Amino acid sequence: MTSAPLAARLARAQGPLFFPVTAYGPDGALDLDAFRAHVRTGIDAGAAAVFACCGTGEFHALTPEEFRDCVAAAVEETAGEVPVVAGAGYGTALAVRFATLAEEAGADGLLAMPPYLVIADQRGLLRHYTALAAATSLDVIVYQRDNAVFAPETVVGLAQVDGIIGLKDGYGDLDLMQRIVSAVRRDLPDQDFLYFNGLPTAELTALAYRGIGVTLYSSAVFAFAPDIALAFHRALTTGDDKTVARLLDGFYVPLVELRNLGRGYAVSLVKAGVRLGGPDVGEVRPPLSEPLALHIKALAALIERGRALLEESP
């Protein structure tokens, strides 16, 4: 059942959704000052929302205390300018624990990531997310990916749960997504359920997702090259097809090809990109590893190429 405040704020988002990296110092400990600066840079650049401590923010590598401190720092830095959505995951009990910490830290909502390790059936998944939503006053966006892939009728069930306001798709099956959108629209015609394109480099599939009515998307590029991400978002929303094609062909497709060269690059390459821009946000924590030096060099050249493409735009 859609809850107006967060759902309405996200529905009218005028920029990319920002997934900041989590900053660590040279000793590997949390660096909240660097994290706050990174979040502030994104807000000033035009982020529509801050999704703190999610996939790009290495939720998997944070202790509950670090998670709480990071979310609180993001809330403090945004000061209500944009909503803050925090990650929550693992089994039901721990997901509820992280939801409680996020609520105490002042977050506006949760991105509910897949349960840890187990492969549940549809009934079990529905039970899990229903229990999470019931345990918190925060609005919940369910993240579809990996071991949490939903049948259309399950999403209809999720959409009827009080507090669950949307589905973020990181699975990438457009046939399935169309059936999900159609099922919710058919069975719940008065429900304003939100959908998000949450693939690792969502700009690459943004045109396809818009074709089925999914216009909201997360932008990993926004974390390290907000000017490129904003130019693409502006071109996409205004129908500037030439600029969209220019950035897709010259920047985003090569970026995806580079990202696919290493496991975990959806996180570690993004973090390397942030460091290339100046802020020292540290390296990724184990079990992830840093990109190879030649791949970081290729990323630097690609960012330079992307900015050159912006100068070619009218």
Side-chain angles (χ1 to χ4, degrees), residues 31-151:
D31 187 339
L32 287 176
D33 289 339
F35 176 72
R36 286 191 185 93
H38 178 46
V39 170
R40 171 48 52 189
T41 297
I43 296 168
D44 290 345
V50 173
F51 283 68
C53 304
C54 296
T56 308
E58 296 179 79
F59 171 80
H60 67 277
L62 298 174
T63 67
E65 294 76 19
E66 289 174 326
F67 169 86
R68 178 198 58 217
D69 292 346
C70 262
V71 175
V75 170
E76 180 181 332
E77 200 59 45
T78 60
E81 293 179 55
V82 298
V84 174
V85 179
Y90 303 117
T92 306
L94 275 177
V96 168
R97 173 65 176 146
F98 279 100
T100 301
L101 292 171
E103 192 166 354
E104 291 173 356
D108 298 288
L110 299 173
L111 178 62
M113 289 177 282
Y116 173 69
L117 192 61
V118 296
I119 300 175
D121 61 16
Q122 296 294 298
R123 289 182 301 128
L125 290 171
L126 185 57
R127 285 182 64 201
H128 170 72
Y129 294 106
T130 299
L132 174 59
T136 178
S137 66
L138 297 180
D139 292 328
V140 177
I141 299 164
V142 176
Y143 195 178
Q144 169 168 264
R145 57 174 294 171
D146 300 324
N147 59 328
V149 178
F150 306 102

